[in-house]
Amino acid sequence: MKLKCRIFSRTVLCLVISAATGCGTLNTDLSVPEKEIPKTFPNPKGDATIAGIDWRQYFTDPLLVELIDTAVRNNLDLQIALQRIEMSRSSVKLANGALLPKVGLNVGGGVRKFGLYTMDGAGNASTYITPGQIVPENLTDIFLGLQASWEVDVWGKLRNQRKAAISQYLASVEGSRFVISNLVADVAIHYNELLALDNELDIIRQTLRKQQEALEVIKLQKETGRANELAVQQFSAQLLNSEVLEKQTLQRITETENRINFLLGRYPQPLPRNKDVLFQAVSRQILAGIPSQLLENRPDIRAAEFEIEASKFDLKAAKAAFYPNFNITATLGFQAFNPEFLFQSPASLAYSLMGTLVAPLINMNALKAQFNTAKANQLTAMYNYQKTILNGYVEVANQLSNLRNLQRMQELKKQQSETLQKSVDTSKELYRSARATYLEVLIAQQNALQANLELIDVIKQERLSTVNIYRALGGGWR
């Protein structure tokens, strides 16, 4: 008997939804081709990773740590992300509430008059509502009591909506952690850029002093006939170019300071810093671990995973929308035509109980569109999850390669800078003994300045690489 009932109910459901979709089209078991994650990163060094290190220990400069701490407290993007968590938490509470009966206090009143030549009017004209008093022509109706409604979640639609809301909440939590990770890295990056600019400014000003001295020497040599006006003009032009470079660097310092202050959620103000920190060697060994650890450490990957879970529950809820809704409504209270009789129980006691089963018929196209949208959202979430993993792996691989090459480049740039610095002194000595032209002196000075600036840039890029790989591995949010 039970088996026959199950077959009958399933047949009824198929008949309800077959007009628009057919029983076999509401498939919620979706999948996309998966790409296997590589076992190791290029040039592996074990399974230990720096991702689990707290940023307060990873960054050793106390001034930088203080700036990051201020940013984590005051950054506006992070505050927005935290509010998204609150919105998601409220959505979970709303979904939980949908599973429970809705009960409210109903206080109402009205007046009715029936036509005499109707069943109600004719009956009221000869009926006593109280002993010796017929039903009044203008009949008032007062009700005071409780009113309840409850959608019985037979097919799991409301439960799946609640699970989707929980997954969205967890995704928003991971999203806020991803904002923190990026915020920590951005402050560290701009801070190191600021240190590099400070050192570039020092080099430019040192070069300016040397160029000013060289110009004075050329002017004196012109007066004694050992140099001409063209030489003076060339040295003056080089000095002016360096002065322009100084102003450009000062502007870049101002803009970088303002970017850091913006990340800290405050208006522009001077930033305390020690420019010599730029030349301190990175004390911590960079350990990348294994690629599978990205699934645990990177908040954006975990958020993408929760998005898949939410989309799966949304799709199941969209499927359940095709099935009949079972609703129960009830009222319990006191009802009378006159307030003095309102609480004369049991005569004024009123109640009702009704259950309804409503199956969608006309709006099947809308339900099907909703189901197809949820289906596309789930497939999108799956592809986005794979994209996020691939992006994380590529970021780590790029930064590991970048760090290795920058370490080699730094050694080469140091040698180049030292060689060109010696060439400046050599060109001056040769010029004094008339064995070199002033153009060779100018070229030597310009090359030395460029090499020093490039050395600063390589040192900066190496430090930025240690920040970027820390972020790429999933560090900075703990």
Side-chain angles (χ1 to χ4, degrees):
M1 183 66 183
K2 291 183 178 180
L3 179 61
K4 291 182 179 179
C5 290
R6 291 176 182 174
I7 296 175
F8 176 76
S9 61
R10 185 176 299 176
T11 303
V12 171
L13 290 176
C14 287
L15 290 175
V16 168
I17 66 176
S18 61
T21 63
C23 282
T25 60
L26 298 180
N27 180 27
T28 58
D29 187 15
L30 304 181
S31 63
V32 297
E34 296 184 2
K35 293 180 173 58
E36 185 178 358
I37 304 176
K39 300 299 182 183
T40 61
F41 291 112
N43 301 316
K45 295 182 179 179
D47 56 359
T49 176
I50 59 174
I53 302 174
D54 188 280
W55 57 264
R56 295 173 182 84
Q57 281 73 49
Y58 185 77
F59 300 108
T60 57
D61 185 350
L63 297 176
L64 172 58
V65 171
E66 184 177 352
L67 291 175
I68 295 177
D69 192 57
T70 303
V72 171
R73 291 197 308 269
N74 302 329
N75 180 260
L76 298 178
D77 287 332
L78 180 55
Q79 298 303 318
I80 294 173
L82 294 177
Q83 293 309 309
R84 291 196 187 100
I85 294 178
E86 292 303 317
M87 289 188 288
S88 298
R89 184 181 286 115
S90 298
S91 297
V92 173
K93 293 180 179 180
L94 183 63
N96 284 331
L99 287 166
L100 303 175
K102 298 177 178 63
V103 181
L105 178 64
N106 186 352
V107 180
V111 61
R112 290 179 295 178
K113 177 185 180 302
F114 295 102
L116 178 62
Y117 302 108
T118 63
M119 180 177 65
D120 292 316
N124 291 342
S126 59
T127 301
Y128 287 96
I129 194 168
T130 58
Q133 181 181 359
I134 62 173
V135 176
E137 183 178 358
N138 295 308
L139 179 63
T140 57
D141 186 13
I142 302 173
F143 180 84
L144 173 63
L146 301 177
Q147 180 174 328
S149 63
W150 182 33
E151 180 180 351
V152 183
D153 192 26
V154 178
W155 317 111
K157 180 183 70 174
L158 299 179
R159 289 192 298 274
N160 283 315
Q161 289 176 347
R162 178 175 65 88
K163 292 177 181 177
I166 293 174
S167 296
Q168 289 288 358
Y169 165 73
L170 295 175
S172 68
V173 172
E174 297 299 335
S176 68
R177 291 173 176 173
F178 189 57
V179 171
I180 295 175
S181 178
N182 284 318
L183 176 62
V184 169
D186 287 342
V187 173
I189 286 172
H190 292 314
Y191 180 79
N192 282 284
E193 289 177 344
L194 190 58
L195 298 182
L197 289 171
D198 288 340
N199 284 280
E200 287 180 10
L201 184 62
D202 283 348
I203 291 174
I204 293 170
R205 286 175 172 172
Q206 292 172 9
T207 303
L208 276 172
R209 288 193 293 269
K210 293 179 180 179
Q211 289 174 347
Q212 184 66 46
E213 294 172 359
L215 178 60
E216 297 299 328
V217 171
I218 290 296
K219 287 181 178 180
L220 291 175
Q221 290 181 344
K222 178 192 172 186
E223 294 176 0
T224 60
R226 294 185 57 193
N228 54 34
E229 180 62 22
L230 180 59
V232 175
Q233 292 173 351
Q234 291 291 333
F235 275 88
S236 297
Q238 187 186 57
L239 179 63
L240 292 172
N241 181 70
S242 297
E243 289 177 347
V244 170
L245 190 59
E246 178 191 26
K247 303 307 179 190
Q248 291 174 341
T249 305
L250 286 171
Q251 178 60 26
R252 291 170 61 194
I253 288 174
T254 299
E255 292 177 358
T256 305
E257 281 185 324
N258 290 343
R259 280 197 296 269
I260 294 176
N261 281 307
F262 178 78
L263 291 174
L264 270 59
R266 65 190 189 190
Y267 288 96
Q269 56 183 274
L271 297 176
R273 55 192 184 270
N274 181 9
K275 59 188 175 184
D276 295 331
V277 171
L278 185 72
F279 301 100
Q280 294 179 1
V282 179
S283 58
R284 190 177 301 280
Q285 184 181 6
I286 303 301
L287 301 174
I290 56 178
S292 60
Q293 292 173 323
L294 295 178
L295 305 181
E296 178 183 354
N297 293 325
R298 281 189 61 129
D300 58 333
I301 294 179
R302 291 206 306 274
E305 185 178 1
F306 285 124
E307 291 289 349
I308 292 179
E309 293 298 318
S311 67
K312 287 181 179 179
F313 294 125
D314 283 335
L315 184 60
K316 291 179 180 179
K319 178 179 179 179
F322 285 93
Y323 303 148
N325 290 334
F326 182 47
N327 294 282
I328 298 176
T329 58
T331 59
L332 175 63
F334 299 96
Q335 188 175 20
F337 77 98
N338 192 316
E340 65 178 286
F341 302 124
L342 188 60
F343 297 106
Q344 291 187 4
S345 179
S348 60
L349 184 65
Y351 60 85
S352 67
L353 179 65
M354 181 174 63
T356 58
L357 187 67
V358 180
L361 292 177
I362 303 301
N363 63 337
M364 278 295 187
N365 286 335
L367 294 177
K368 187 175 181 181
Q370 183 179 1
F371 179 82
N372 289 336
T373 299
K375 186 176 180 180
N377 284 338
Q378 182 176 339
L379 292 173
T380 301
M382 289 178 173
Y383 284 119
N384 181 64
Y385 178 66
Q386 293 195 12
K387 175 185 174 184
T388 307
I389 295 175
L390 178 61
N391 178 67
Y393 180 88
V394 171
E395 285 182 357
V396 174
N398 286 343
Q399 292 304 325
L400 287 173
S401 175
N402 188 36
L403 186 59
R404 288 192 301 270
N405 290 323
L406 285 170
Q407 289 171 345
R408 298 166 187 164
M409 289 169 58
Q410 182 178 344
E411 294 300 323
L412 296 173
K413 280 294 180 182
K414 283 182 179 179
Q415 297 176 19
Q416 181 191 24
S417 177
E418 292 171 358
T419 302
L420 289 175
Q421 194 61 46
K422 292 177 182 178
S423 72
V424 172
D425 299 331
T426 302
S427 65
K428 290 180 179 179
E429 293 296 328
L430 292 175
Y431 181 76
R432 292 191 184 98
S433 60
R435 289 184 292 171
T437 65
Y438 68 88
L439 289 176
E440 291 175 313
V441 177
L442 290 173
I443 292 172
Q445 290 179 345
Q446 189 63 34
N447 289 341
L449 173 60
Q450 187 64 30
N452 288 331
L453 295 179
E454 289 176 356
L455 175 60
I456 294 296
D457 185 67
V458 170
I459 295 174
K460 177 192 72 175
Q461 292 300 329
E462 182 182 0
R463 296 185 69 87
L464 296 189
S465 183
T466 62
V467 177
N468 285 324
I469 196 171
Y470 180 58
R471 170 168 53 184
L473 289 169
W477 58 268
R478 290 177 172 84

